[in-house]
Amino acid sequence: DIQMTQSPSSVSASVGDRVTITCRASQGISSWLAWYQQKPGKAPKLLIYAASSLQSGVPSRFSGSGSGTDFTLTISSLQPEDFATYYCQQANSFTWTFGQGTKVEIK
Amino acid sequence: EVQLVESGGGLVKPGGSLRLSCAASGFTFSNAWMSWVRQAPGKGLEWVGRIKSKTDGGTTDYAAPVKGRFTISRDDSKNTLYLQMNSLKTEDTAVYYCTTVGRSIAARPGYYYYYYYMDVWGKGTTVTVSS
């Protein structure tokens, strides 16, 4: 199975900060990568697919980049509603896998 | 409005069985690929498995921890997805989410392919495996 490793595991930031989360695949996955946001007690929400395509309705402060094994999710200016846990997920192989998650906390 | 509603969760003893259902509405279910994702208490997301539409073969794929124990099926006449869970273990305790699988086409000279992602999620149903 393809392993996905996110870093950092958690990050403390303030409203207005730029936040970057990285995701590394154990082997090349081209652009078959998605990012999700999950708030406590809620179902995950799709943010980004195909590594850099913004899902309809998602604010433009969210962006994704990367290809191959290294990917990045960037929040350009953190808003109060963005404090949550973020997951990357690969869909390159027959079996899909998630990263372990990155929790974005209030500083 | 696209909606997914899971049901069937509950308390079951180790070694037991349970069948989860996911009722879909607001889209053409028969054309959709569907998947199950779970989340153990306080843990991250874990992909469980996926079923393609019948027109795309209706085949299934599973994560290694559940392969051979879990079976995903669908009843397109009832717009319902199922997850049959057998030989349950305590580590199967989790919230189980049903999702649609979205596809985005990418074209290259002479061929095309799809990007896949899980775009609509239900609220989840809780499964507890305990003696």
Side-chain angles (χ1 to χ4, degrees), chain A residues 1 30-34 36 38 41-46 48-51 53 55 87 89 91 93-100, chain B residues 33 35 37 39 43-47 50 52 61-65 97 101 104 113-124:
Chain A
D1 281 2
S30 184
S31 295
W32 272 282
L33 186 100
Y36 303 86
Q38 187 180 33
K42 300 294 187 182
K45 172 187 172 184
L46 175 68
I48 301 281
Y49 63 92
S53 296
Q55 171 70 348
Y87 296 90
Q89 175 250 326
S93 61
F94 288 111
T95 57
W96 297 350
T97 45
F98 287 91
Q100 81 278 15
Chain B
W33 294 23
S35 77
V37 174
Q39 186 169 35
K43 302 298 184 182
L45 302 173
E46 181 181 24
W47 179 77
R50 177 193 61 248
K52 296 181 181 180
D61 288 289
Y62 300 94
Y97 296 101
V101 175
S104 173
Y113 55 91
Y114 291 102
Y115 291 110
Y116 300 98
Y117 43 89
M118 292 172 277
D119 52 353
V120 178
W121 297 62
K123 288 182 165 50

Side-chain angles (χ1 to χ4, degrees), chain A residues 3-105:
Chain A
Q3 308 302 316
M4 306 300 292
T5 304
Q6 290 181 230
S7 61
S9 295
S10 65
V11 57
S12 294
S14 302
V15 172
D17 284 353
R18 182 182 183 88
V19 173
T20 299
I21 299 168
T22 63
C23 179
R24 175 164 288 176
S26 60
Q27 65 188 71
I29 59 169
S30 184
S31 295
W32 272 282
L33 186 100
W35 289 97
Y36 303 86
Q37 175 195 66
Q38 187 180 33
K39 296 182 180 178
K42 300 294 187 182
K45 172 187 172 184
L46 175 68
L47 299 176
I48 301 281
Y49 63 92
S52 60
S53 296
L54 194 67
Q55 171 70 348
S56 176
V58 174
S60 59
R61 62 180 179 273
F62 290 93
S63 64
S65 65
S67 181
T69 59
D70 294 312
F71 302 86
T72 299
L73 173 70
T74 299
I75 310 172
S76 60
S77 178
L78 198 66
Q79 297 302 298
E81 60 269 30
D82 301 336
F83 291 96
T85 300
Y86 294 84
Y87 296 90
C88 63
Q89 175 250 326
Q90 66 81 16
N92 175 258
S93 61
F94 288 111
T95 57
W96 297 350
T97 45
F98 287 91
Q100 81 278 15
T102 294
K103 188 173 184 179
V104 177
E105 300 173 299

Side-chain angles (χ1 to χ4, degrees), chain B residues 13-30:
Chain B
K13 288 183 167 51
S17 298
L18 205 59
R19 188 178 82 158
L20 306 184
S21 300
C22 171
S25 60
F27 64 102
T28 306
F29 180 76
S30 61

